[in-house]
Amino acid sequence: MPPRPAGMAGATTDMLRDLGFTLGSVVVGAVALSGVGSAFTASLSGADLTPGQASTAGETARAGGPIAVNSLAPGAPGSAAHGLALDALGSGFGTACLVCGAAAAVAAALTAFGMIGLRARHSSADETSGVLPSAPDDRTPDPAVAR
């Protein structure tokens, strides 16, 4: 990066990283929790629970979702559905992890595609300009050592 636009490049990189941190957690949460409620309700209807436990767990899930059922204290009304809520949440977060893995693979492929030929272009530009590469400590390199 030439020195003149380096500040803008650094600021853009910081902004995109912050956006990714913020947007990434929102997207992961949305993907993870999108089907959890319906999966929990479906598993609750076929579960081997007493009618009172199933009814209380269903009401708790309608009010606060499967996370509320999962956080019920042992022995509390509806806490018998704790395992069902945990399974539904695990399935949702498993799906979110798959989405994150796919997004990371796409980002890696785009980065690799964008870097094709980058080193070759950089090396040929240095040779044609006659500029010697700088030393790591910003001293002028010895021409006999640099070539």
Side-chain angles (χ1 to χ4, degrees), residues 59-125:
E59 289 174 18
T60 304
R62 278 188 289 284
I67 292 176
V69 175
N70 189 46
S71 63
L72 289 173
S79 65
H82 173 78
L84 298 173
L86 191 61
D87 289 342
L89 289 167
S91 174
F93 280 102
T95 302
C97 287
L98 288 175
V99 168
C100 288
V106 167
L110 289 173
T111 301
F113 180 73
M115 294 181 68
I116 292 175
L118 186 64
R119 185 174 178 101
R121 280 184 273 160
H122 181 65
S123 299
S124 63

Side-chain angles (χ1 to χ4, degrees), residues 23-73:
L23 189 60
S25 59
V26 169
V27 169
V28 168
V31 167
L33 298 177
S34 64
V36 171
S38 59
F40 176 72
T41 305
S43 64
L44 186 63
S45 64
D48 187 26
L49 299 174
T50 64
Q53 286 284 344
S55 173
T56 305
E59 289 174 18
T60 304
R62 278 188 289 284
I67 292 176
V69 175
N70 189 46
S71 63
L72 289 173

